[in-house]
C-alpha cells in the first residue's frame, strides 16, 4: 500500500497551495485559479518594474511556488501533479502581474508547458501586454542533437529565476532581464540519479527499480533515464554524473566553461534523500570540480519529484561577473537557500 498524508488525492494540490499561502504572509492566491502571487504585486507594478512568471505541474515542491517573493518571481501558475497548468490560468496570472515595464515568462522545456504557456502568451500579446519568454532546458542526460527539443527543464531553472529576479528587482528593463535569463539557461547543465520512484497520490509508483538498482538521467516526472546500474558508492556515482555533465564529446557536450572559471553548484534533493547523503555528495562534487572555481554551493530541496530518493547536480558557468552579486541578492522567496562559499 502506498501511504500518503493527504485528505483526498484529487484535492491535494489545492490544499497544499492554501497551506503554503496561509504560512507565508508575503504570498496570496489569485481567486479562482491555482496562481500564487506576491502580496505586494500592486506596489511592484506601480514602481514600473519588470514582473516574472513561471509555473508548471505540482509535485515538484518547493518549485515553483516557493520562489515567489521579492528578488525572485512575481507569480507562479500551478497545474495538477505532473501536469501543465491550463492556458486560462496562465493568462489570468499574466493579467494579474501585467506591468508597463513588461513581463518575463520562464518556462521549463516540456511539451505541455511550452504549448499552454505559448497559447497564453500569444493571447496576452494580442491584448497589448508586453511579454517575453525564456525556455529552460538544462538537462544534459540526452544526446545533443543540435536543437533543445529533448532537453528537459530541471533544477537549473531555479538559478535562472534567481538571476532574472534580482535583475528585475534592481529595476532593469525587460530586454536586460531577458538576456540574463536566456544566458543563464544556456550556461546551466543538470544531471540526475534516482534510487527509487515517485508515487502520485492515489496511483502506483511511476516506474520500477530493482532493490539494488539506480538510474541516471531521469526527468522530474519519472521519464526514462539513460542508464541503469547497481547502486555504487557516492564518489563513484558523482564522478559518473559529472563526467557526463562536463563531457567534451560533441554528441553530449552541454556545459561550456574554461578551467578556472567561476561556477555555481546546486545539489538538489529529489525528495527522499537524507541530509547526510547530500553532504557526502557535496564533498565528492566539490572535489571533482576543482578544475573550476566553485564560487557558490547550494544544497537542499529545490525541485523535487515528490518522495523520489535521488539527487540532481546542476553546474552554472558564472560567465557574467555580476551573476554572483545577483545570486547573493536578498530575496523573500520562502524556498531559496542561502549559499555556501566553498572558497572562504
Amino acid at each position: 500500500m502506498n501511504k500518503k498524508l493527504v485528505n483526498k488525492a484529487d484535492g491535494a494540490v489545492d490544499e497544499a497551495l492554501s497551506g503554503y499561502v496561509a504560512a507565508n504572509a508575503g504570498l496570496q492566491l489569485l481567486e479562482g485559479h491555482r496562481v500564487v502571487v506576491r502580496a505586494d504585486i500592486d506596489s511592484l507594478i506601480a514602481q514600473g518594474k519588470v514582473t516574472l512568471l513561471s509555473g508548471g505541474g505540482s509535485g515538484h515542491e518547493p518549485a515553483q511556488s516557493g520562489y515567489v517573493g521579492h528578488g525572485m518571481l512575481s507569480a507562479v501558475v500551478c497545474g495538477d501533479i505532473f501536469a501543465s497548468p491550463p492556458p486560462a490560468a496562465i493568462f489570468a496570472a499574466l493579467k494579474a502581474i501585467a506591468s508597463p515595464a513588461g513581463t518575463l515568462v520562464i518556462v521549463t522545456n516540456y511539451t505541455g508547458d511550452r504549448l499552454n504557456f505559448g497559447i497564453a502568451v500569444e493571447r496576452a500579446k494580442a491584448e497589448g501586454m508586453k511579454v517575453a519568454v525564456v525556455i529552460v532546458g538544462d538537462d544534459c542526460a540526452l544526446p545533443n542533437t543540435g536543437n533543445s527539443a529533448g532537453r528537459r527543464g530541471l533544477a537549473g531553472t531555479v538559478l535562472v529565476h534567481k538571476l532574472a529576479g534580482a535583475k528585475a528587482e534592481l529595476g532593469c528593463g525587460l530586454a536586460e532581464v531577458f538576456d540574463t535569463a536566456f544566458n543563464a539557461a544556456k550556461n546551466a547543465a543538470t544531471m540526475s540519479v534516482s534510487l527509487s520512484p515517485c508515487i502520485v497520490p492515489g496511483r502506483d509508483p511511476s516506474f520500477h527499480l530493482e532493490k539494488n538498482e539506480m538510474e541516471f538521467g531521469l526527468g522530474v516526472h519519472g521519464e526514462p533515464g539513460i542508464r541503469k546500474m547497481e547502486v555504487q558508492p557516492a564518489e563513484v556515482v558523482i564522478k559518473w554524473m559529472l563526467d557526463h555533465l562536463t563531457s567534451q564529446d560533441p554528441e553530449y557536450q552541454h556545459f561550456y566553461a574554461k578551467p578556472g572559471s567561476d561556477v555555481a553548484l546546486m545539489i538538489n534533493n529529489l525528495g527522499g534523500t537524507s541530509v547526510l547523503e547530500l553532504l557526502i555528495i557535496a564533498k565528492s562534487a566539490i572535489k571533482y570540480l576543482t578544475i573550476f572555481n566553485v564560487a557558490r554551493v547550494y544544497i537542499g530541496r529545490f525541485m523535487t519529484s515528490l518522495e523520489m530518493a535521488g539527487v540532481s547536480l546542476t553546474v552554472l558557468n558564472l560567465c557574467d561577473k555580476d551573476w554572483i552579486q545577483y545570486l547573493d541578492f536578498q530575496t523573500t522567496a520562502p524556498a531559496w537557500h542561502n549559499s555556501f562559499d566553498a572558497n572562504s
Side-chain angles (χ1 to χ4, degrees), residues 33 43 81 94 155 169 184 308 333:
H33 298 282
S43 173
I81 295 176
L94 285 167
E169 203 70 56
M308 182 186 290

Side-chain angles (χ1 to χ4, degrees), residues 62-85:
Q64 305 286 347
S65 54
Y67 304 113
V68 177
H70 172 95
M72 288 193 80
L73 300 175
S74 310
V76 155
V77 196
C78 301
D80 286 325
I81 295 176
F82 297 174
S84 179

Side-chain angles (χ1 to χ4, degrees), residues 287-343:
K287 181 179 179 181
Y288 181 100
L289 292 170
T290 51
I291 188 175
F292 305 115
N293 175 40
V294 182
R296 294 293 182 272
V297 181
Y298 302 92
I299 305 173
R301 287 185 176 92
F302 294 94
M303 181 181 286
T304 67
S305 296
L306 294 170
E307 75 277 56
M308 182 186 290
V311 66
S312 68
L313 301 179
T314 300
V315 183
L316 172 68
N317 180 11
L318 299 172
C319 54
D320 186 309
K321 62 181 176 61
D322 294 326
W323 283 7
I324 292 179
Q325 172 192 338
Y326 299 155
L327 288 174
D328 293 345
F329 188 83
Q330 183 179 6
T331 179
T332 61
W336 178 252
H337 296 244
N338 289 328
S339 73
F340 296 88
D341 183 350
N343 295 308

